[in-house]
């Protein structure tokens, strides 16, 4: 049996959404064309925009479509930073590479403070308060960490920033479909989402931008998306993303309960099998679908390969750096130089999984553990 437990890296496309998408594929027009075929495409595009805005409690004019969350995060950050002369920015040491590497590339033109995480996987609020300056222009904090699943205190950050001029940018890629995402509740000025984490297509993403936020475009050209992101819109994938978001929102409770049951079963079965492990981060503050586990008895690189040979597909850290197994910057922020950084694996679950798949993962781990134990 092949077991895929890497749903935080990407999800398969929902079959029903795929069928709806292909049924719509004849609507091939360019939304910028002024003839009827173009106008029909434009109507569909704007319908998707309205639906997505509604789900986020935003206005349609606040939604910009992109090629994914990497581009959406780049646009949010670069689009704002370019409005200022050497601004002060606060972000965290546990952001996704699309945020972290973007800020690292901007260090010549901005003063960036990186807030570390505590051992619970939550950013250090006191460090945040201490870092906040009167002239801080932008704060980028993710909602759910993609490696540990730990939810960050966005509501509290939003409250701290309520009387402040700094804009709040929230990467909500791993949160949507697992918890409520309401831009007004968070006080978010910018928020990003990705289609392929919610059973939609790869290569499509959303940037929410509060109406009064001035954003310089990164991609210039035909002035699509109100000049914020040029290029003919990928109407078909945008349609599928809107459908995926609606379904994720409708099924949120069912999906979360199932994911939670799978996670609990996983932890109980691991304990029962007497495989030494520790959870990284605070399991009680984590989104339902992700868990990061430290196996003190072996290196992650070896374990990933051994699990792969047993047809169990998981990852260490984010998939974007998983081609090469490098120590996780998230775990490094939480634990420093500790050996557990190199001995940890991320499992991410889905409502589509069966309980037997959890048994298969634990059986494989048990076999690997015993093999090592007996051999050494
Ligand atoms: N942010 C987070 C938290 C993510 O998990 C990911 C995907 N790994 C991204 C951003 C980038 O999304 P995309 O693949 O759509 O570029």
């Amino acid at each position: 049996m092949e077991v895929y437990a890497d749903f935080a890296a990407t999800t398969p496309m929902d079959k029903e959404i795929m069928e709806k998408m292909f049924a719509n594929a004849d609507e091939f027009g360019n939304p910028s064309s002024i003839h009827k075929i173009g106008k029909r495409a434009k109507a569909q595009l704007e319908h998707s925009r309205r639906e997505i805005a509604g789900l986020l409690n935003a206005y349609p004019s606040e939604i910009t479509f992109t090629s994914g969350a990497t581009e959406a995060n780049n646009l949010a950050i670069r689009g704002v930073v370019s409005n200022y002369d050497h601004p002060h920015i606060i972000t965290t040491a546990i952001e996704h590479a699309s945020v972290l590497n973007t800020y690292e590339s901007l260090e010549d033109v901005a003063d960036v403070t990186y807030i570390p995480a505590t051992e619970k996987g939550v950013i250090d609020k006191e460090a945040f308060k201490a870092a906040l300056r009167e002239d801080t222009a932008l704060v980028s904090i993710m909602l759910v960490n993609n490696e540990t699943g730990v939810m960050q205190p966005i509501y509290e950050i939003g409250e701290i920033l309520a009387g402040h001029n700094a804009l709040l940018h929230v990467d909500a890629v791993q949160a949507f479909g697992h918890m409520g995402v309401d831009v007004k509740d968070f006080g978010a000025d910018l928020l990003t989402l990705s289609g392929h984490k919610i059973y939609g297509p790869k290569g499509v993403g959303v940037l929410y931008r509060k109406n009064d936020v001035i954003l310089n475009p990164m991609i210039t050209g035909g002035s699509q998306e109100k000049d914020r992101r040029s290029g003919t819109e990928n109407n078909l994938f945008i349609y599928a993303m809107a459908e995926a978001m609606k379904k994720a929102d409708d099924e949120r409770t069912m999906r979360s309960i199932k994911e939670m049951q799978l996670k609990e079963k996983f932890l109980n079965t691991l304990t029962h099998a007497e495989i030494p492990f520790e959870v990284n981060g605070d399991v009680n503050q984590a989104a339902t679908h992700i868990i990061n586990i430290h196996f003190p008895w072996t290196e992650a690189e070896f374990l990933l390969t051994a699990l792969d040979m047993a047809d169990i597909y998981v990852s260490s850290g984010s998939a974007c750096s998983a081609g090469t197994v490098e120590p996780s910057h998230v775990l490094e922020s939480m634990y420093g130089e500790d050996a557990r950084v190199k001995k940890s694996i991320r499992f991410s679950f889905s409502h589509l999984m069966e309980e037997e798949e959890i048994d298969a993962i634990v059986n494989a781990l048990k076999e690997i553990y015993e093999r090592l134990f007996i051999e050494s």
Side-chain angles (χ1 to χ4, degrees), residues 114-168:
Y114 300 91
I115 305 294
T118 66
E119 289 204 354
K120 288 187 162 186
V122 184
I123 59 141
D124 186 336
K125 267 178 284 175
E126 292 314 309
F128 174 76
K129 282 187 201 157
L132 188 63
R133 303 192 328 214
E134 216 165 284
D135 65 335
T136 304
L138 180 61
V139 173
S140 290
I141 297 186
M142 69 198 331
L143 190 47
V144 169
N145 183 270
N146 52 303
E147 295 192 25
T148 60
V150 175
M151 290 187 271
Q152 302 304 314
I154 292 296
Y155 290 100
E156 282 144 285
I157 299 290
E159 275 170 24
I160 296 168
L161 292 178
H164 196 286
N165 281 335
L167 300 175
L168 176 60

Side-chain angles (χ1 to χ4, degrees), residues 56 64 66 68-77 95-96 98-99 141-143 168-176 181 183 188-195 204-209 241 245:
L56 298 175
T64 303
T66 66
T70 296
E71 187 192 329
N73 280 331
N74 267 269
L75 178 55
I77 295 167
E95 296 301 303
H96 183 262
S98 57
V99 171
I141 297 186
M142 69 198 331
L143 190 47
L168 176 60
H169 160 219
V170 179
D171 174 341
V173 167
Q174 295 290 348
F176 193 89
V181 175
V183 292
D189 298 286
L190 298 144
L191 181 136
T192 56
L193 298 172
S194 176
V204 60
V206 161
L207 169 63
Y208 156 80
R209 172 210 59 102
M241 172 138 190
M245 283 177 67

Side-chain angles (χ1 to χ4, degrees), residues 7-286:
F7 290 86
T10 196
T11 58
M13 242 192 107
D14 183 287
K15 294 273 182 303
E16 193 190 356
I17 293 167
M18 212 188 287
E19 276 166 24
K20 280 186 172 179
M21 188 179 93
F22 285 124
N24 242 306
D26 283 343
E27 212 55 89
F28 69 93
N30 184 330
S32 299
S33 302
I34 57 166
H35 46 63
K36 288 198 196 76
I37 289 182
K39 285 201 179 108
R40 282 209 302 267
K42 175 82 174 163
Q44 187 186 78
L45 178 66
E46 294 314 316
H47 180 76
S48 303
R49 199 187 307 277
R50 278 195 300 281
E51 294 210 296
I52 290 172
L55 290 166
L56 298 175
N57 193 16
Y59 296 111
S61 56
E62 296 176 319
I63 302 299
T64 303
F65 295 113
T66 66
S67 66
T70 296
E71 187 192 329
N73 280 331
N74 267 269
L75 178 55
I77 295 167
R78 295 180 194 278
V80 166
V81 168
S82 55
N83 285 322
Y84 295 84
D85 180 21
H86 215 90
H88 177 239
I89 314 277
I90 302 178
T91 190
T92 83
I94 59 169
E95 296 301 303
H96 183 262
S98 57
V99 171
L100 219 45
N101 291 346
T102 302
Y103 279 127
E104 276 166 15
S105 77
L106 290 171
E107 281 176 7
D108 283 349
V109 295
D111 179 8
V112 190
T113 305
Y114 300 91
I115 305 294
T118 66
E119 289 204 354
K120 288 187 162 186
V122 184
I123 59 141
D124 186 336
K125 267 178 284 175
E126 292 314 309
F128 174 76
K129 282 187 201 157
L132 188 63
R133 303 192 328 214
E134 216 165 284
D135 65 335
T136 304
L138 180 61
V139 173
S140 290
I141 297 186
M142 69 198 331
L143 190 47
V144 169
N145 183 270
N146 52 303
E147 295 192 25
T148 60
V150 175
M151 290 187 271
Q152 302 304 314
I154 292 296
Y155 290 100
E156 282 144 285
I157 299 290
E159 275 170 24
I160 296 168
L161 292 178
H164 196 286
N165 281 335
L167 300 175
L168 176 60
H169 160 219
V170 179
D171 174 341
V173 167
Q174 295 290 348
F176 193 89
H178 306 280
M179 58 184 282
V181 175
D182 178 320
V183 292
K184 303 262 180 341
D185 266 5
F186 301 149
D189 298 286
L190 298 144
L191 181 136
T192 56
L193 298 172
S194 176
H196 73 102
K197 309 286 181 174
I198 52 169
Y199 309 92
K202 292 167 185 56
V204 60
V206 161
L207 169 63
Y208 156 80
R209 172 210 59 102
K210 200 174 169 190
N211 261 335
D212 55 0
V213 175
I214 297 166
L215 206 61
N216 291 318
M218 278 197 320
I219 300 176
T220 50
S223 302
Q224 286 89 347
E225 296 295 283
K226 299 250 166 20
D227 223 2
R228 281 187 280 279
R229 200 274 189 184
S230 287
T232 304
E233 294 88 346
N234 190 341
N235 217 0
L236 203 56
F237 281 12
I238 290 169
Y239 167 78
M241 172 138 190
E243 289 296 316
M245 283 177 67
K246 273 197 293 183
K247 194 161 178 180
D249 196 61
D250 284 348
E251 294 187 356
R252 175 148 50 92
T253 308
M254 175 281 282
R255 291 185 184 184
S256 303
I257 290 172
K258 180 76 191 287
E259 289 162 357
M260 189 53 93
Q261 283 167 348
L262 293 169
K263 197 193 269 193
E264 269 170 22
K265 179 180 163 80
F266 182 49
L267 293 177
N268 290 338
T269 319
L270 271 180
T271 308
H272 195 72
E274 296 180 351
I275 301 168
F277 75 95
E278 282 169 296
V279 176
N280 290 322
D282 186 352
V283 72
N284 297 317
Q285 292 192 62

